[in-house]
Amino acid sequence: MNVVIAAAGLVSAGGLSLAENAATTRSRLACFREIAWLDRRFESFIVAGVPDDGLPPLSEALVATRLPSREVRTLRLAHAALADLFAGLPSDLLAAPLLLGLSEHNTTQTLDPTGFLHNLALQAGACFELAGSIAAPRGRAAGLMALGRATNCIASGQADFMLVGGVDSLIDLYVLGALDRAERIRGEAVSDGFTPGEGAAFLLLASEAAARDRGIRPLARVAGSGSATEAGHLYSDEPYLGDGLAAAVGAALEAAALGTPIQTTCCSFNGERYWAREFGVTRIRNAEHFAPDSRMEHPAECFGDLGGAHGAALAALAAHGIANGYMGGPVLAYASSDRGDRAALVLDRTA
């Protein structure tokens, strides 16, 4: 059974819709700004934040609950991205289960994944089936891991439609402070660092037959996916070997069984050297699957590091690029979390 991406939505500093973000990343426009919060050198943090007036307000049903500010922010980001996804879909489409990736960085009040899903249902309305939904705090790779799981569910006939996504905001004073102490935030004194961002991305997956029956023109076909664990991750004492990403990409390429080499790679590079070294290992071990002139796309240069939303955002941008003919396929999208999770996805044109 062919599994397709039927629709996608994305909100970040690069725009309030997938189309706006695609235009921003194609033009290489950096959407960074200084904020009032200061780092330990008394310099303003530079972040990639979403304009507050572009997001829906917090639902009246949640106002009295006194949620932490970061949870309020992520609920509003997720609501906006879901609205973008559903804008062009049939209004009577049945709600599908949601597999959601969340931040792997804790703040002063740890986010409860189950509670977050419940609050998201109140915030965004009945756009997903709460009973069958799962959220996991697994960082950048989470959305692509969820996408692989959803693909298997649809391919095995367990569901016709499934939602996957990710949401995160690294623009939190506690998170920024922890990253600053680790010298991971790019600034005047730190060149080997990244720009913290925030955003949300969602994709609606479907069997090709189900999409056709509902009159939905898919963006792209899911050719293969894979995930693995890197023992020598950033917060591990184990030696770094690059095995995790190489295995995840290798599994996705094997499942895709492509007759054409990868033309474009959408990666979760964020400006830290570690991630470039990691991809070097992957590229060497899977060299035969890449076209000699294959392109690299790293949208973090435009909208910063999206944390738990990053993998889903890459998949959404890749699908949009394939559907609109400006991104050569097949496309590899992959994301690496700060801890051990690694995930990869291969997308291609629909028949």
Side-chain angles (χ1 to χ4, degrees):
M1 178 189 295
N2 283 337
V3 179
V4 298
I5 295 178
L10 171 59
V11 169
S12 79
L16 298 175
S17 69
L18 176 55
E20 289 180 12
N21 277 281
T24 296
T25 55
R26 291 183 72 189
S27 63
R28 304 293 194 269
L29 178 64
C31 303
F32 306 155
R33 61 181 175 86
E34 291 186 351
I35 58 175
W37 294 341
L38 304 180
D39 64 17
R40 59 198 175 93
R41 298 179 177 87
F42 299 101
E43 299 288 340
S44 295
F45 282 113
I46 297 175
V47 302
V50 178
D52 190 70
D53 58 6
L55 299 177
L58 185 67
S59 168
E60 291 185 5
L62 295 171
V63 169
T65 59
R66 298 184 181 275
L67 296 172
S69 59
R70 192 185 188 199
E71 182 167 356
V72 170
R73 188 69 177 176
T74 48
L75 285 169
R76 295 174 67 201
L77 289 165
H79 185 183
L82 283 165
D84 180 39
L85 181 151
F86 283 105
L89 292 175
S91 58
D92 60 344
L93 194 67
L94 293 177
L98 169 63
L99 304 181
L100 181 65
L102 299 171
S103 182
E104 62 184 329
H105 291 284
N106 289 325
T107 185
T108 50
Q109 292 179 271
T110 304
L111 185 69
D112 171 44
T114 302
F116 184 86
L117 284 172
H118 174 77
N119 290 337
L120 181 57
L122 293 174
Q123 173 68 30
C127 59
F128 64 94
E129 180 189 311
L130 182 59
S133 297
I134 301 172
R138 306 291 286 269
R140 295 183 203 91
L144 295 183
M145 294 168 68
L147 201 148
R149 179 170 176 173
T151 297
N152 291 337
C153 287
I154 294 172
S156 63
Q158 298 176 50
D160 288 331
F161 291 92
M162 291 197 72
L163 270 171
V164 301
V167 61
D168 200 351
S169 177
L170 300 181
I171 308 174
D172 172 87
L173 193 55
Y174 184 91
V175 173
L176 290 175
L179 293 171
D180 181 37
R181 289 191 298 274
E183 296 198 338
R184 294 190 61 193
I185 297 180
R186 183 187 292 127
E188 290 292 331
V190 179
S191 58
D192 185 14
F194 67 90
T195 300
E198 62 181 359
F202 290 88
L203 302 100
L204 179 65
L205 272 64
S207 68
E208 191 172 34
R212 183 176 58 248
D213 291 345
R214 297 311 308 271
I216 300 171
R217 183 177 180 181
L219 300 175
R221 176 177 65 87
V222 179
S225 64
S227 60
T229 301
E230 174 56 59
H233 59 77
L234 280 172
Y235 294 97
S236 170
D237 293 328
E238 296 292 321
Y240 164 72
L241 300 175
D243 293 336
L245 183 61
V249 170
L253 292 168
E254 182 179 0
L258 299 169
T260 304
I262 296 296
Q263 303 296 310
T264 309
T265 299
C266 294
C267 66
S268 58
F269 285 1
N270 65 0
E272 294 177 298
R273 295 191 192 99
Y274 175 93
W275 310 112
R277 295 199 303 270
E278 179 180 56
F279 181 70
V281 174
T282 297
R283 184 70 166 75
I284 290 170
R285 294 185 186 177
N286 297 280
E288 70 275 15
H289 295 289
F290 291 85
D293 57 348
S294 62
R295 293 168 50 197
M296 288 288 291
E297 298 288 342
H298 34 86
E301 66 180 335
C302 300
F303 52 51
D305 191 327
L306 302 186
H310 212 101
L314 294 175
L317 288 169
H320 187 277
I322 290 172
N324 289 277
Y326 62 84
M327 196 174 287
V331 175
L332 169 69
Y334 77 82
S336 299
S337 298
D338 279 355
R339 300 192 183 275
D341 292 318
R342 304 290 186 266
L345 169 74
V346 177
L347 295 179
D348 207 351
R349 288 180 288 272
T350 57

